[in-house]
Amino acid sequence: MTGKIPEETIEQIRSQSDIVDVISEYVQLTKRGRNWFGLCPFHGENTPSFSVSQEKQIFHCFGCGAGGNAITFIMDIENIPFVDAVAKLGNRMGIHLDIQNDSMQKSAGNYSKAEENMLNAHQFAADFYHHLLMNTEDGEEALNYLLKRGFTKEDIETNGIGWSLSSWDTLSILLQREGYDLDEIAESGLIIKKENEQSYFDRFRARIMFPIRDEFGKIIAFSGRILHQTGNDAKYLNSPESPIFHKSQVLFNLDKARSTIRKSGQVILMEGFMDVLATNQAGILNAVATMGTSLTPQHITKLKRLVEKVIICYDGDNAGLEGAKRAAELLQAERLKVEVAVLPDQLDPDEYIRKFGPESYKKILDKPQSYISFVIMHARRNKNFQFENDILQYIQEVLEQLVDKSPVERDLYIKQLASETTISVDAIYTQFRKLEADNAKTFKRNSQKVGQTVVNDIKQKKKLNATDRAERLLLSHMLNSAEVVDRIMNSSNPQPFVHDEYVAVFVRLIGFYEEHESADYQRFLEVLDDSSLRKIVMEAAITERDPEQAEAEISDCLKQLKKHGIESEISKLTHDFQEAEKMHEHKRALEIAQQIIVLRKSLSAI
């Protein structure tokens, strides 16, 4: 695989790819000292432990151990092989590689063969639908409808919008001709298997087709809009949940918006993909949307890695405002800066743009309400201040939002409450102090529980013993000198490592040095297709070693590993001795005892 790209080209792409720029497209990084830090994209965390060194051009997570360079980061984050990652980075800087590699056309990494087939079938279907829309009489009416709705041909091309025929099984027949297993494709929701029959029909018929992509641009689902609504047909028909499509994880348009989101430092969160497309037409390119589901922790994790500020722009009706409040509270709880753009007249973004135009829409997005202002506005809705209960409920809801705010904000909003409700400022402050005291007690109890959990976690976290440290340090020296590997291979113990994963790395390192003349741990990282092995190599690569005391360090490591091997053998023989004694096999027990004595003598001689 690696032989298809010249080594000098790989080095050129690696050296010209600034790792901070590359990773910043996926993770929000903040500079602290000489390095950059962010939330690790490879495991869930709330405190940044993901470090990027611009000087060394490497990344490392102190939480999960992930690490590597720009190329291996792309391999891990997109679950693609080395050749694809190099090609992707090459394209990023204008170096286009002509590589004939099947994996370039399909998913890799964590996808099963069946899931790869589903992804390929979705791409095939999208190409077919798009061709029908743009190049056939069957798609002419749908194309004219889109153009009248404000879509340009460039919009249609960019988003891969298409048209599905009204016939029942056109796509099913084509997929079968292409050699797809229709049972697999039916599981993805693209086609439907008839009950009690070995035949299939298309899920989407006579609909404008909008591809749904994951954050890396792979088509995983569709939403089809009917052109002529008759009977009980739904206006929009979406793909069902499938092995490749999980609504709780998908943010529509994230693949296209990521770069703009990173540059602008904020993301606009919307309810529906049509709102995002309308927003894009208005020239605003940092919008994403959930896919028919409320905001989930998975969605929030993706957003946190990219930005600190989220502007929520949901529909202006009651349901939209309720959804915006729920989303705002979830985002606020994750310490994101949240603002809410409220649309008037109960309009959704698409309707507002068509009615009032892009410029008016941009003004609303440019001046959204702060989180606290929106929550107060929401709390005031449907309340009648003629009734005492409504006044008390309104005050309580607002005060709950002021507990962790600054004194200035508290004073401002408490005076506003007093003005609105005719309740005195002193009375409201009294209520606030009681609420604050109750919250402080609850926080203290929870903090004690959390603190104990953290202590327990620290106690349970595996500490490196002498053998672990010896393996890591020895591998560190091997990564920096091929001569160390040669010397050990020609010694009396040509395989010194204890743990299987280190043995696996050692075997691959031997092969690497057979092809490469000099040590280069970054290049070695790239030839490892197992991310768990890359973690081991990265931990070893950043381990401190003393080049001036290399011989002594290597010798100490080999002694420790040899000592561990002997101790393990003594432990095994001691168990065998005890078993022989139980079985009254005295001759065998004596032989084992003699072996143990010899091993103990050799151990003391180390």
Side-chain angles (χ1 to χ4, degrees):
M1 179 183 291
T2 58
K4 294 180 181 178
I5 306 177
E7 286 294 327
E8 57 269 24
T9 304
I10 295 171
E11 177 56 32
Q12 179 188 5
I13 290 172
R14 185 197 302 119
S15 62
Q16 292 183 12
S17 297
D18 182 77
I19 195 167
V20 173
D21 288 343
V22 172
I23 293 180
S24 289
E25 293 184 6
Y26 300 84
V27 179
Q28 181 188 354
L29 297 176
T30 302
K31 192 167 187 181
R32 296 209 308 260
R34 297 171 66 180
N35 292 341
W36 298 74
F37 288 85
L39 296 176
C40 179
F42 303 115
H43 79 288
E45 62 177 9
N46 291 317
T47 303
S49 62
F50 183 83
S51 172
V52 183
S53 169
Q54 199 162 28
E55 179 184 350
K56 298 178 181 178
Q57 288 293 302
I58 60 173
F59 73 91
H60 179 247
C61 176
F62 296 96
C64 69
N69 58 23
I71 294 175
T72 64
F73 177 82
I74 295 297
M75 290 169 66
D76 288 338
I77 196 72
E78 298 211 15
N79 287 321
I80 58 177
F82 170 76
V83 172
D84 296 18
V86 173
K88 186 176 180 72
L89 285 177
N91 289 335
R92 188 175 177 272
M93 62 183 64
I95 301 174
H96 302 290
L97 303 179
D98 183 16
I99 301 170
Q100 298 300 318
N101 182 14
D102 290 341
S103 66
M104 293 290 287
Q105 301 301 323
K106 59 188 179 183
S107 171
N110 293 332
Y111 287 116
S112 67
K113 183 64 178 175
E115 290 166 348
E116 287 180 3
N117 291 338
M118 293 175 192
L119 290 166
N120 291 336
H122 275 70
Q123 185 61 59
F124 175 85
D127 293 341
F128 176 57
Y129 293 145
H130 185 65
H131 169 76
L132 290 173
L133 178 70
M134 302 301 291
N135 303 301
T136 70
E137 290 183 7
D138 291 303
E140 190 173 352
E141 185 182 5
L143 179 59
N144 289 333
Y145 169 82
L146 288 169
L147 295 174
K148 288 178 183 177
R149 281 288 301 267
F151 285 89
T152 64
K153 287 193 175 182
E154 184 181 358
D155 294 332
I156 296 169
E157 290 282 356
T158 300
N159 292 286
I161 302 170
W163 170 253
S164 57
L165 297 176
S166 58
S167 60
W168 280 83
D169 56 1
T170 303
L171 181 63
S172 300
I173 291 171
L174 287 175
L175 289 169
Q176 189 169 38
R177 286 178 183 172
E178 290 291 315
Y180 287 99
D181 182 333
L182 296 192
D183 280 338
E184 283 183 353
I185 308 308
E187 189 179 357
S188 77
L190 198 53
I191 61 177
I192 299 172
K193 186 176 183 179
K194 293 181 181 178
E195 290 186 18
N196 304 319
E197 293 183 42
Q198 195 61 35
S199 59
Y200 306 81
F201 62 93
D202 302 350
R203 177 178 295 276
F204 300 100
R205 301 180 306 280
R207 289 178 179 270
I208 298 173
M209 301 300 295
F210 297 92
I212 310 301
R213 295 176 173 84
D214 67 12
E215 61 189 292
F216 305 120
K218 295 183 178 70
I219 298 174
I220 54 176
F222 289 95
S223 184
R225 188 196 191 284
I226 203 161
L227 196 58
H228 300 294
Q229 193 161 7
T230 57
N232 295 322
D233 289 337
K235 184 177 180 181
Y236 285 96
L237 177 66
N238 296 327
S239 295
E241 291 264 330
S242 75
I244 60 172
F245 177 47
H246 305 283
K247 290 186 288 186
S248 63
Q249 300 177 17
V250 176
L251 286 169
F252 178 82
N253 198 50
L254 183 56
D255 60 315
K256 297 183 183 300
R258 181 189 283 114
S259 177
T260 308
I261 291 169
R262 182 174 64 87
K263 290 174 183 175
S264 66
Q266 62 185 30
V267 62
I268 301 169
L269 178 65
M270 318 196 88
E271 282 186 287
F273 74 91
M274 285 299 294
D275 296 327
V276 170
L277 295 178
T279 301
N280 288 348
Q281 289 172 38
I284 301 164
L285 305 178
N286 58 329
V288 300
T290 52
M291 288 300 304
T293 182
S294 300
L295 195 66
T296 66
Q298 294 96 315
H299 292 144
I300 295 173
T301 297
K302 293 179 190 295
L303 295 175
K304 280 181 70 176
R305 289 171 183 158
L306 288 174
V307 289
E308 293 179 350
K309 181 179 178 181
V310 180
I311 298 174
I312 299 171
C313 184
Y314 282 8
D315 294 356
D317 59 11
N318 287 335
L321 291 173
E322 290 296 334
K325 182 173 183 290
R326 287 193 298 272
E329 288 172 341
L330 291 171
L331 293 165
Q332 180 80 2
E334 291 295 327
R335 301 187 182 281
L336 285 159
K337 182 180 179 182
V338 186
E339 295 179 344
V340 183
V342 179
L343 298 176
D345 303 330
Q346 299 193 354
L347 296 174
D348 64 35
D350 186 23
E351 292 169 336
Y352 186 91
I353 292 169
R354 282 188 280 127
K355 186 172 181 179
F356 296 105
E359 292 307 314
S360 177
Y361 180 61
K362 287 178 182 177
K363 288 179 182 177
I364 290 178
L365 291 178
D366 286 342
K367 294 183 178 180
Q369 295 185 20
S370 68
Y371 171 77
I372 187 67
S373 295
F374 171 75
V375 171
I376 290 174
M377 180 274 287
H378 185 278
R380 195 186 300 117
R381 291 169 61 249
N382 303 321
K383 296 234 177 11
N384 186 340
F385 288 174
Q386 299 292 325
F387 300 106
E388 180 182 319
N389 284 343
D390 280 10
I391 293 175
L392 295 176
Q393 184 180 348
Y394 174 57
I395 291 173
Q396 182 69 14
E397 288 179 24
V398 175
L399 292 182
E400 286 173 355
Q401 300 296 329
L402 299 180
V403 170
D404 58 350
K405 297 297 182 290
S406 70
V408 173
E409 285 181 294
R410 292 175 192 169
D411 192 56
L412 174 68
Y413 289 114
I414 286 177
K415 286 179 179 177
Q416 181 178 317
L417 279 175
S419 174
E420 289 177 329
T421 62
T422 68
I423 305 297
S424 72
V425 170
D426 289 342
I428 296 175
Y429 258 114
T430 300
Q431 179 67 16
F432 173 75
R433 283 190 287 271
K434 181 179 182 301
L435 178 65
E436 196 174 35
D438 291 342
N439 281 4
K441 291 177 183 177
T442 302
F443 177 79
K444 184 177 180 180
R445 286 196 298 269
N446 291 339
S447 295
Q448 289 173 342
K449 292 179 182 178
V450 171
Q452 187 58 49
T453 301
V454 170
V455 170
N456 292 339
D457 288 344
I458 292 172
K459 288 180 179 178
Q460 292 173 7
K461 190 172 181 178
K462 180 185 176 183
K463 293 183 179 179
L464 293 180
N465 58 33
T467 300
D468 296 329
R469 290 194 296 272
E471 282 189 303
R472 183 174 289 183
L473 183 56
L474 179 60
L475 179 57
S476 177
H477 282 286
M478 289 179 171
L479 292 171
N480 284 275
S481 173
E483 294 178 1
V484 177
V485 174
D486 288 338
R487 189 189 342 150
I488 289 174
M489 286 178 63
N490 293 320
S491 70
S492 59
N493 183 17
Q495 199 304 95
F497 291 105
V498 173
H499 296 103
D500 291 342
E501 56 268 30
Y502 274 88
V503 174
V505 169
F506 181 53
V507 170
R508 286 163 174 78
L509 187 58
I510 292 170
F512 176 81
Y513 282 140
E514 288 175 354
E515 294 185 17
H516 298 76
E517 295 180 359
S518 59
D520 185 345
Y521 79 88
Q522 291 209 31
R523 186 69 187 91
F524 179 53
L525 280 168
E526 294 162 1
V527 305
L528 294 173
D529 54 4
D530 188 330
S531 60
S532 64
L533 298 185
R534 287 201 290 271
K535 288 182 181 180
I536 290 170
V537 171
M538 197 63 209
E539 292 283 4
I542 64 175
T543 296
E544 289 189 14
R545 55 189 177 80
D546 187 350
E548 295 182 2
Q549 298 295 323
E551 291 300 321
E553 286 186 350
I554 292 168
S555 177
D556 288 344
C557 290
L558 292 173
K559 285 179 181 178
Q560 175 59 39
L561 294 174
K562 184 176 181 181
K563 179 181 176 183
H564 176 90
I566 294 173
E567 288 173 342
S568 297
E569 183 63 21
I570 290 174
S571 178
K572 177 181 176 300
L573 289 173
T574 300
H575 178 268
D576 293 344
F577 174 81
Q578 292 170 346
E579 289 296 314
E581 287 279 276
K582 287 180 183 178
M583 301 299 293
H584 303 290
E585 296 175 353
H586 301 298
K587 183 179 179 181
R588 178 168 170 264
L590 180 61
E591 292 173 350
I592 293 172
Q594 290 172 340
Q595 292 177 42
I596 292 174
I597 292 170
V598 172
L599 287 172
R600 283 179 175 160
K601 285 182 179 179
S602 66
L603 187 62
S604 61
I606 294 177

